[in-house]
PDB file of all heavy atoms in Angstrom:
ATOM      1  N   SER A 151      21.952 -15.151 -21.889  1.00  0.00           N
ATOM      2  CA  SER A 151      22.441 -14.066 -22.696  1.00  0.00           C
ATOM      3  C   SER A 151      22.887 -12.917 -21.832  1.00  0.00           C
ATOM      4  O   SER A 151      22.120 -12.491 -20.928  1.00  0.00           O
ATOM      5  CB  SER A 151      21.311 -13.584 -23.645  1.00  0.00           C
ATOM      6  OG  SER A 151      21.501 -12.249 -24.036  1.00  0.00           O
ATOM      7  N   LEU A 152      24.106 -12.409 -22.022  1.00  0.00           N
ATOM      8  CA  LEU A 152      24.600 -11.306 -21.222  1.00  0.00           C
ATOM      9  C   LEU A 152      23.743 -10.078 -21.405  1.00  0.00           C
ATOM     10  O   LEU A 152      23.478  -9.361 -20.433  1.00  0.00           O
ATOM     11  CB  LEU A 152      26.048 -11.020 -21.597  1.00  0.00           C
ATOM     12  CG  LEU A 152      26.731  -9.846 -20.830  1.00  0.00           C
ATOM     13  CD1 LEU A 152      26.712 -10.097 -19.368  1.00  0.00           C
ATOM     14  CD2 LEU A 152      28.191  -9.688 -21.340  1.00  0.00           C
ATOM     15  N   ALA A 153      23.273  -9.803 -22.634  1.00  0.00           N
ATOM     16  CA  ALA A 153      22.422  -8.658 -22.872  1.00  0.00           C
ATOM     17  C   ALA A 153      21.119  -8.768 -22.057  1.00  0.00           C
ATOM     18  O   ALA A 153      20.644  -7.771 -21.480  1.00  0.00           O
ATOM     19  CB  ALA A 153      22.152  -8.534 -24.369  1.00  0.00           C
ATOM     20  N   ASP A 154      20.550  -9.955 -21.989  1.00  0.00           N
ATOM     21  CA  ASP A 154      19.294 -10.172 -21.256  1.00  0.00           C
ATOM     22  C   ASP A 154      19.565 -10.014 -19.771  1.00  0.00           C
ATOM     23  O   ASP A 154      18.690  -9.473 -19.029  1.00  0.00           O
ATOM     24  CB  ASP A 154      18.725 -11.566 -21.505  1.00  0.00           C
ATOM     25  CG  ASP A 154      18.134 -11.691 -22.922  1.00  0.00           C
ATOM     26  OD1 ASP A 154      17.931 -10.674 -23.573  1.00  0.00           O
ATOM     27  OD2 ASP A 154      17.919 -12.859 -23.340  1.00  0.00           O
ATOM     28  N   ILE A 155      20.693 -10.466 -19.268  1.00  0.00           N
ATOM     29  CA  ILE A 155      21.039 -10.305 -17.826  1.00  0.00           C
ATOM     30  C   ILE A 155      21.157  -8.836 -17.499  1.00  0.00           C
ATOM     31  O   ILE A 155      20.603  -8.391 -16.474  1.00  0.00           O
ATOM     32  CB  ILE A 155      22.317 -11.080 -17.523  1.00  0.00           C
ATOM     33  CG1 ILE A 155      22.126 -12.591 -17.672  1.00  0.00           C
ATOM     34  CG2 ILE A 155      22.790 -10.775 -16.072  1.00  0.00           C
ATOM     35  CD1 ILE A 155      23.403 -13.399 -17.580  1.00  0.00           C
ATOM     36  N   ARG A 156      21.825  -8.096 -18.327  1.00  0.00           N
ATOM     37  CA  ARG A 156      21.976  -6.653 -18.089  1.00  0.00           C
ATOM     38  C   ARG A 156      20.645  -5.973 -18.026  1.00  0.00           C
ATOM     39  O   ARG A 156      20.314  -5.192 -17.109  1.00  0.00           O
ATOM     40  CB  ARG A 156      22.825  -6.057 -19.231  1.00  0.00           C
ATOM     41  CG  ARG A 156      23.045  -4.546 -19.099  1.00  0.00           C
ATOM     42  CD  ARG A 156      23.824  -4.014 -20.292  1.00  0.00           C
ATOM     43  NE  ARG A 156      24.093  -2.590 -20.157  1.00  0.00           N
ATOM     44  CZ  ARG A 156      23.221  -1.637 -20.401  1.00  0.00           C
ATOM     45  NH1 ARG A 156      21.979  -1.970 -20.848  1.00  0.00           N
ATOM     46  NH2 ARG A 156      23.542  -0.373 -20.257  1.00  0.00           N
ATOM     47  N   LEU A 157      19.767  -6.235 -19.030  1.00  0.00           N
ATOM     48  CA  LEU A 157      18.417  -5.591 -19.026  1.00  0.00           C
ATOM     49  C   LEU A 157      17.572  -6.087 -17.893  1.00  0.00           C
ATOM     50  O   LEU A 157      16.794  -5.322 -17.311  1.00  0.00           O
ATOM     51  CB  LEU A 157      17.762  -5.889 -20.381  1.00  0.00           C
ATOM     52  CG  LEU A 157      18.360  -5.165 -21.586  1.00  0.00           C
ATOM     53  CD1 LEU A 157      17.645  -5.617 -22.852  1.00  0.00           C
ATOM     54  CD2 LEU A 157      18.230  -3.644 -21.423  1.00  0.00           C
ATOM     55  N   GLY A 158      17.739  -7.381 -17.517  1.00  0.00           N
ATOM     56  CA  GLY A 158      16.930  -7.905 -16.401  1.00  0.00           C
ATOM     57  C   GLY A 158      17.272  -7.211 -15.089  1.00  0.00           C
ATOM     58  O   GLY A 158      16.386  -6.917 -14.296  1.00  0.00           O
ATOM     59  N   LEU A 159      18.536  -6.947 -14.862  1.00  0.00           N
ATOM     60  CA  LEU A 159      18.968  -6.240 -13.627  1.00  0.00           C
ATOM     61  C   LEU A 159      18.452  -4.800 -13.608  1.00  0.00           C
ATOM     62  O   LEU A 159      17.986  -4.331 -12.578  1.00  0.00           O
ATOM     63  CB  LEU A 159      20.487  -6.300 -13.472  1.00  0.00           C
ATOM     64  CG  LEU A 159      21.087  -5.684 -12.228  1.00  0.00           C
ATOM     65  CD1 LEU A 159      20.371  -6.158 -10.983  1.00  0.00           C
ATOM     66  CD2 LEU A 159      22.580  -6.002 -12.124  1.00  0.00           C
ATOM     67  N   LEU A 160      18.484  -4.161 -14.768  1.00  0.00           N
ATOM     68  CA  LEU A 160      17.946  -2.774 -14.873  1.00  0.00           C
ATOM     69  C   LEU A 160      16.419  -2.789 -14.633  1.00  0.00           C
ATOM     70  O   LEU A 160      15.898  -1.922 -13.936  1.00  0.00           O
ATOM     71  CB  LEU A 160      18.291  -2.186 -16.217  1.00  0.00           C
ATOM     72  CG  LEU A 160      19.782  -1.866 -16.444  1.00  0.00           C
ATOM     73  CD1 LEU A 160      19.986  -1.435 -17.902  1.00  0.00           C
ATOM     74  CD2 LEU A 160      20.274  -0.758 -15.498  1.00  0.00           C
ATOM     75  N   ASP A 161      15.725  -3.758 -15.205  1.00  0.00           N
ATOM     76  CA  ASP A 161      14.289  -3.872 -14.992  1.00  0.00           C
ATOM     77  C   ASP A 161      13.960  -4.110 -13.543  1.00  0.00           C
ATOM     78  O   ASP A 161      13.007  -3.557 -12.976  1.00  0.00           O
ATOM     79  CB  ASP A 161      13.676  -4.980 -15.833  1.00  0.00           C
ATOM     80  CG  ASP A 161      13.610  -4.619 -17.302  1.00  0.00           C
ATOM     81  OD1 ASP A 161      13.717  -3.434 -17.658  1.00  0.00           O
ATOM     82  OD2 ASP A 161      13.470  -5.573 -18.146  1.00  0.00           O
ATOM     83  N   PHE A 162      14.754  -4.969 -12.894  1.00  0.00           N
ATOM     84  CA  PHE A 162      14.543  -5.221 -11.459  1.00  0.00           C
ATOM     85  C   PHE A 162      14.729  -3.957 -10.670  1.00  0.00           C
ATOM     86  O   PHE A 162      13.916  -3.594  -9.807  1.00  0.00           O
ATOM     87  CB  PHE A 162      15.463  -6.302 -10.962  1.00  0.00           C
ATOM     88  CG  PHE A 162      15.411  -6.487  -9.477  1.00  0.00           C
ATOM     89  CD1 PHE A 162      14.318  -7.166  -8.907  1.00  0.00           C
ATOM     90  CD2 PHE A 162      16.403  -5.962  -8.645  1.00  0.00           C
ATOM     91  CE1 PHE A 162      14.212  -7.319  -7.518  1.00  0.00           C
ATOM     92  CE2 PHE A 162      16.312  -6.118  -7.276  1.00  0.00           C
ATOM     93  CZ  PHE A 162      15.232  -6.797  -6.703  1.00  0.00           C
TER      94      PHE A 162
END
Side-chain angles (χ1 to χ4, degrees):
S151 156
L152 180 57
D154 288 346
I155 293 171
R156 180 185 183 279
L157 290 175
L159 183 48
L160 291 172
D161 285 344
F162 173 76

